[in-house]
Amino acid sequence: MFHQCFIKFKDQKGINDYFLWWPDGDAPQDLVEYRMKVHLFGAVSSPSWSNFALRRAAEDNEAHFPEEVINTVKNNFYVDDCLKSMSSNQKAIQMVVRTSDFPLPEGRIHAIKVDQQQPC
């Protein structure tokens, strides 16, 4: 998720996410300094940026998706985790499918894991 949140070039100067690497992975060459163009996993600010990107995408796409999907993205996601209870398995499956089609600036939300609990 963090790698789907790009940092505008004009804003990259204020972020100190630099790293050193060898050109083409060739260790005998001199190290080159690179700057990250996306938010890093492990950076304190990355979850906030990811949440902002999701909410912004929801606002930008309100006319193209059902209200339930927009509300789910705005209110039930933290980074790329969605926690939502549904009244039936069928409704949960429909929500996963609809939400998985939701666009982000550089892709879509990918539902990888789904968990369910059957009523006792």
Side-chain angles (χ1 to χ4, degrees), residues 1-5 41 46-52 54-55 72-73 76-83 99-100 104 108-114:
M1 176 73 185
F2 301 138
H3 282 223
Q4 292 180 326
C5 297
F41 180 81
S46 292
S48 296
W49 283 112
S50 296
N51 289 334
F52 173 80
L54 276 173
R55 285 180 176 80
T72 297
V73 172
N76 298 100
F77 269 85
Y78 176 74
V79 184
D80 58 356
D81 294 326
C82 177
L83 180 60
T99 307
S100 294
L104 292 172
R108 304 213 179 277
I109 297 173
H110 299 288
I112 305 289
K113 296 182 281 186
V114 177

Side-chain angles (χ1 to χ4, degrees), residues 7-109:
I7 304 168
K8 291 181 181 178
F9 181 76
K10 67 181 182 89
D11 296 329
Q12 290 176 10
K13 295 175 187 169
I15 298 175
N16 295 322
D17 292 334
Y18 295 96
F19 64 97
L20 301 174
W21 198 254
W22 298 280
D24 300 320
D26 187 8
Q29 293 189 41
D30 290 337
L31 288 170
V32 176
E33 183 178 89
Y34 291 92
R35 182 180 293 170
M36 293 298 295
K37 296 180 181 181
V38 297
H39 289 280
L40 296 174
F41 180 81
V44 173
S45 63
S46 292
S48 296
W49 283 112
S50 296
N51 289 334
F52 173 80
L54 276 173
R55 285 180 176 80
R56 178 63 188 264
E59 291 172 7
D60 291 348
N61 288 283
E62 283 181 334
H64 307 291
F65 285 86
E67 184 178 357
E68 186 179 19
V69 171
I70 297 297
N71 288 337
T72 297
V73 172
K74 284 183 173 180
N75 301 318
N76 298 100
F77 269 85
Y78 176 74
V79 184
D80 58 356
D81 294 326
C82 177
L83 180 60
K84 183 168 182 146
S85 296
M86 305 298 287
S87 60
S88 71
N89 287 340
Q90 188 60 33
K91 287 183 180 181
I93 291 168
Q94 289 173 354
M95 181 55 65
V96 168
V97 170
R98 288 181 182 164
T99 307
S100 294
D101 288 338
F102 191 81
L104 292 172
E106 291 297 322
R108 304 213 179 277
I109 297 173

